[in-house]
Amino acid sequence: MFDANDLAVLPVARWIQAGVEWLSYNFRPVFIAIKWPIENGLALTDAALQSVPFPITVLLFSAVAWKLAGRSTALFTAVSLVVIAALGVWSEAMTTLALIATAIVVCAVIGIPVGIWSARNDRVWNVVRPILDIMQTTPTFVYLIPVVMLFGVGTVPGEVAVIVTAVPPLIRFTNIGIRQVDKEIVEAGHAFGADSRQLLWEIQLPLAVPTILGGLNQTVLTAMVMSVVIAMIGAEGLGLVVMQGLGRLDVGHAAIGGIAIVLLAMILDRVTQGMASRSGRPNRAAVKAGFWARLFFPHKLEEIKT
Amino acid sequence: MSERLKIDNLYKIYGGSPEPAISRLRNGATKDRVLAETGLVVGLNNVSLSIESGSIYMIMGLSGSGKSTLARCVNRLNEPSAGKILLDGRDLVALDEQALREVRRTRVSMVFQHFALLPNRTVRENVEFGLKLRRIAPAVRRRKAEEILAVVGLAAWGERMPHELSGGMRQRVGLARALATDADVLIMDEAFSALDPLIRAEMQDELLRLQRTLQKTILFITHDFQEALKLGTRIAIMADGEVVREGEPQDIVLDPQSDYVAEFTRDVDRSRVFDVRSAMSAAAAADLIGGHRVVLCANGGFAIDGDGRVKGHIARARIDDLRAGADIAPLMASSFSAISADAKLLDVSRVFTAGQPVAVLDGDDCIIGTVSPEAVLRQLSSSPAAPKSKEKVHV
């Protein structure tokens, strides 16, 4: 009989192994350079969050939530943070928050300019889009392999994986937000003599803000999910609590980690949703998608919407 | 008036290199044949127009006729494929990006069908838009915006957001934004088409009112023939990318020259289109009767002074008395009406009173003719009228 395994002659696994080894051997300085700002940014954020006394953090975060998303979200934030502290995972939660906050900053710095560039240049978008497709269809676990090979294990390599996973939605939403700006308004910009920069800053970006914030919401939630997954490569934070619980078959311990994760995710979701819906005309489709679905199937939803 | 804008043998071809299409069009090929032979779509086919400074030039056509394409070529939102667009003798088609931007900022502005206001800016900031792009100081552009908002009747609305305004008010903002740059050429692309009929009529009146003082050169795109008649100094009717009829509104209604145009003119309310001049009988030269200057007409005569102004009307039966040397003052007893030659037939029908003559006056209040109800009716029923005389009475 002709068996499928008879065809198994392509040593792809070995090629990739060799390729990644070659990369890590020859481009070591590059990866160290990539790691450096992330490592320092993360260390700074984590140190700050860990050193601020717990009540002040709660007040500060509630105030920010009030400003960005209104009173009920502020109340929810305060209560949730107190519950997280009461569960005894405050320090781990702050580490996870530092992971997410740093990832968002890096994602914004990379994602928004790439998104703008893609929106204004079809050739760029034609290159970027397939890369995003691959990034978003690749299971999150699979990211961990090259990350471990290239960056090693621990919290900082984990953060690299978080950034790589979380940046595509922001690029996509920025791109689509700018492309969807009313054609007549863009024409009005041209008709009144706007140059390329004025067109971007006076018309395209301001009108794309609601959609970009919708993308930011997606990025935050993706980063949240990934910040838990990277516990598998030794990253600290709430994910580690869950991992330890599972490893020791301590369901209670794992559940505490889980509850804290859910509360943190809900805070971040509500605050970023509030930002999106408060900025002019919100992109309702992006903001309204169910929270649970996004927490567990961020990539799937992403594909449906963009 | 002088020529402000001249469009010279303009072509616009969509879908690839335009040369094969243009050479075929120059040899008399139709739009359909060009499409069949080259796969290229003809947007504009050899359009030439001359637009006077201070006029409202209507470009009228159905959708797909190329009217918007033509207007957008003027500020090069569409790039013409061949031909020239001369603004005060300067070819806009040849401008580089920098010079084009300058023209768009200072010479040619635009009003859009769906207003195209920035939803995230206040009304005043929207009006300031063109000035901001020119990097004019905030205080200066603010003053200018407030001034223009007062002109369009929105002085109290400057700090509102566009979504708080009704459609008509939003288009006033669009108009204010276009006026704020002090551009002398205004492209209005179906500017009133998105408004409901009452508001549209109101905006049309508003535009005519503004135009009396502003004297802009307006290129107004419309698919509504009534609108073209109401607003237009001249009208160009387009079909399939070509100008099929061009002229003054009355002339087009009087003589459509083609079935296509006649289709539009059929239901026109002629009493609003034709002016009194088109129905009047021109006055003969004044006679000297008994030492007085009298313009004789069907039912008597109008006594005029040295400047040609009407002093009074003398009934036909009394002309002989005057000739016999009677004093003129008591003879001028019979009453009469007077109307401007530029008034519409609708207006003159309101001044007719049984048995009273109506004098037609020119801009200097000199009598240039008389008009009778019969003549007005004849013009309304519109078999092509006899050639009109526009001479002034010489005295």
Side-chain angles (χ1 to χ4, degrees):
Chain A
M1 266 312 243
F2 188 66
D3 191 63
N5 282 328
D6 295 348
L7 268 179
V9 290
L10 285 176
V12 174
R14 229 183 312 141
W15 293 345
I16 292 175
Q17 172 96 10
V20 171
E21 271 170 10
W22 181 82
L23 269 178
S24 64
Y25 185 76
N26 289 290
F27 286 85
R28 189 132 217 94
V30 175
F31 296 114
I32 290 172
I34 293 173
K35 223 166 123 174
W36 188 85
I38 295 171
E39 186 163 17
N40 287 284
L42 189 60
L44 201 72
T45 321
D46 193 37
L49 285 172
Q50 300 289 1
S51 61
V52 174
F54 145 75
I56 294 176
T57 308
V58 175
L59 281 177
L60 214 66
F61 280 24
S62 305
V64 170
W66 194 323
K67 179 96 177 96
L68 294 178
R71 200 172 48 180
S72 61
T73 305
L75 201 67
F76 178 82
T77 302
V79 171
S80 301
L81 287 175
V82 170
V83 169
I84 288 171
L87 289 172
V89 288
W90 179 260
S91 169
E92 288 84 351
M94 288 304 106
T95 300
T96 298
L97 212 54
L99 279 166
I100 294 166
T102 310
I104 287 165
V105 171
V106 177
C107 283
V109 168
I110 297 169
I112 293 175
V114 171
I116 291 170
W117 197 23
S118 304
R120 307 186 106 212
N121 188 331
D122 281 332
R123 239 177 297 166
V124 172
W125 179 231
N126 285 337
V127 174
V128 169
R129 190 175 47 187
I131 297 175
L132 295 183
D133 287 343
I134 293 169
M135 285 169 85
Q136 294 191 287
T137 46
T138 307
T140 43
F141 288 138
V142 179
Y143 280 116
L144 300 179
I145 301 159
V147 162
V148 169
M149 305 244 6
L150 299 175
F151 294 93
V153 292
T155 307
V156 176
E159 177 73 339
V160 174
V162 172
I163 291 163
V164 172
T165 324
V167 79
L170 198 52
I171 296 176
R172 273 191 199 275
F173 275 66
T174 305
N175 169 63
I176 210 162
I178 287 176
R179 283 175 187 265
Q180 275 178 347
V181 169
D182 186 345
K183 203 173 140 275
E184 211 184 39
I185 297 182
V186 175
E187 249 188 359
H190 286 299
F192 283 90
D195 57 35
S196 174
R197 189 180 298 180
Q198 287 173 327
L199 201 65
L200 179 65
W201 287 99
E202 297 289 334
I203 295 176
Q204 290 176 322
L205 264 187
L207 296 186
V209 161
T211 313
I212 293 175
L213 288 177
L216 191 73
N217 174 273
Q218 294 275 311
T219 289
V220 168
L221 291 177
T222 312
M224 181 76 218
V225 172
M226 199 59 187
S227 73
V228 175
V229 172
I230 56 169
M232 300 186 74
I233 59 167
E236 295 161 316
L238 290 171
L240 197 61
V241 176
V242 179
M243 282 282 287
Q244 285 167 347
L246 288 174
R248 286 187 247 138
L249 286 180
D250 182 348
V251 179
H253 194 67
I256 286 171
I259 292 166
I261 288 166
V262 167
L263 289 175
L264 208 56
M266 286 176 76
I267 292 171
L268 291 170
D269 180 52
R270 289 193 173 196
V271 171
T272 47
Q273 258 196 55
M275 281 165 72
S277 60
R278 282 184 165 208
S279 63
R281 294 176 306 171
N283 184 338
R284 280 280 151 201
V287 175
K288 268 195 165 170
F291 155 72
W292 293 104
R294 254 178 301 162
L295 186 57
F296 292 111
F297 309 109
H299 312 310
K300 223 179 239 178
L301 265 164
E302 187 57 35
E303 276 160 34
I304 293 165
K305 272 176 288 166
T306 51
Chain B
M1 281 208 240
S2 62
E3 184 181 72
R4 165 107 326 144
L5 201 59
K6 185 175 168 61
I7 293 169
D8 213 3
N9 302 101
L10 202 69
Y11 290 88
K12 172 68 184 173
I13 308 295
Y14 292 102
S17 170
E19 283 79 20
I22 292 172
S23 64
R24 278 176 173 80
L25 290 171
R26 286 198 173 122
N27 290 329
T30 63
K31 187 179 174 176
D32 291 336
R33 225 184 86 202
V34 170
L35 180 62
E37 289 179 10
T38 64
L40 298 170
V41 176
V42 177
L44 294 175
N45 180 5
N46 196 15
V47 173
S48 295
L49 297 173
S50 168
I51 297 160
E52 304 240 292
S53 157
S55 66
I56 301 183
Y57 199 102
M58 306 297 290
I59 297 174
M60 189 263 159
L62 304 179
S63 57
S65 62
K67 57 185 191 300
S68 268
T69 306
L70 176 60
R72 274 144 201 271
C73 279
V74 171
N75 62 356
R76 280 180 52 198
L77 288 179
N78 286 352
E79 286 294 341
S81 304
K84 287 180 180 168
I85 297 166
L86 302 167
L87 176 61
D88 291 336
R90 184 175 176 216
D91 187 6
L92 299 182
V93 179
L95 296 181
D96 63 21
E97 212 172 306
Q98 181 66 39
L100 174 64
R101 230 177 355 248
E102 205 47 41
V103 165
R104 285 170 170 176
R105 285 176 179 180
T106 56
R107 297 296 313 275
V108 181
S109 64
M110 190 160 178
V111 180
F112 292 83
Q113 180 175 6
H114 299 108
F115 326 134
L117 303 175
L118 291 165
N120 57 330
R121 303 273 176 81
T122 63
V123 165
R124 177 176 52 74
E125 286 168 336
N126 267 288
V127 176
E128 285 177 19
F129 181 65
L131 304 172
K132 192 176 182 191
L133 296 181
R134 268 156 67 186
R135 300 183 173 86
I136 285 170
V140 177
R141 60 179 199 240
R142 185 186 180 121
R143 207 175 319 124
K144 180 76 185 175
E146 276 163 2
E147 186 188 311
I148 299 286
L149 279 171
V151 170
V152 299
L154 290 177
W157 295 80
E159 301 310 314
R160 301 294 187 97
M161 300 305 282
H163 70 84
E164 297 177 274
L165 273 58
S166 68
M169 290 164 92
R170 279 185 226 180
Q171 194 55 298
R172 281 169 196 260
V173 179
L175 189 58
R177 176 174 66 180
L179 294 176
T181 65
D182 284 329
D184 43 10
V185 177
L186 219 60
I187 300 168
M188 302 185 71
D189 186 11
E190 301 250 15
F192 303 151
S193 301
L195 306 173
D196 59 55
L198 280 177
I199 304 294
R200 191 187 312 163
E202 189 185 300
M203 288 297 289
Q204 289 165 348
D205 295 335
E206 177 84 4
L207 181 67
L208 289 171
R209 180 183 72 80
L210 289 170
Q211 173 67 354
R212 273 199 288 278
T213 50
L214 297 171
Q215 291 292 303
K216 304 278 182 188
T217 305
I218 300 176
L219 200 60
F220 196 116
I221 316 303
T222 184
H223 61 256
D224 179 355
F225 191 60
Q226 303 289 347
E227 183 168 72
L229 292 174
K230 180 172 175 182
L231 298 177
T233 318
R234 291 185 80 83
I235 301 173
I237 298 175
M238 296 192 65
D240 286 339
E242 285 177 89
V243 174
V244 294
R245 180 78 167 88
E246 197 273 347
E248 288 179 23
Q250 291 189 75
D251 295 340
I252 291 177
V253 173
L254 212 54
D255 181 14
Q257 289 182 359
S258 70
D259 292 345
Y260 183 79
V261 178
E263 197 70 28
F264 294 116
T265 61
R266 187 163 302 145
D267 298 326
V268 163
D269 178 355
R270 284 149 204 273
S271 70
R272 293 175 195 273
V273 175
F274 290 120
D275 56 22
V276 173
R277 186 178 276 121
S278 69
M280 82 177 182
S281 18
D287 288 316
L288 261 180
I289 300 176
H292 300 283
R293 290 188 176 83
V294 178
V295 175
L296 290 172
C297 56
N299 48 6
F302 288 96
I304 56 173
D305 64 15
D307 296 326
R309 294 201 174 81
V310 178
K311 289 196 293 186
H313 181 255
I314 302 157
R316 176 192 285 272
R318 299 299 176 89
I319 295 282
D320 288 334
D321 295 348
L322 185 66
R323 194 164 278 139
D327 183 20
I328 193 166
L331 297 179
M332 293 195 297
S334 75
S335 61
F336 69 99
S337 311
I339 192 156
S340 158
D342 294 325
K344 301 297 180 196
L345 293 184
L346 187 69
D347 306 316
V348 75
S349 62
R350 293 190 182 115
V351 306
F352 283 127
T353 313
Q356 271 186 26
V358 177
V360 180
L361 309 178
D362 67 7
D364 299 323
D365 285 340
C366 298
I367 181 167
I368 55 171
T370 58
V371 64
S372 66
E374 293 83 0
V376 169
L377 287 174
R378 209 178 308 122
Q379 184 69 353
L380 289 180
S381 67
S382 182
S383 43
K388 302 159 286 180
S389 160
K390 293 184 182 177
E391 301 157 33
K392 208 166 146 181
V393 182
H394 300 288
V395 281

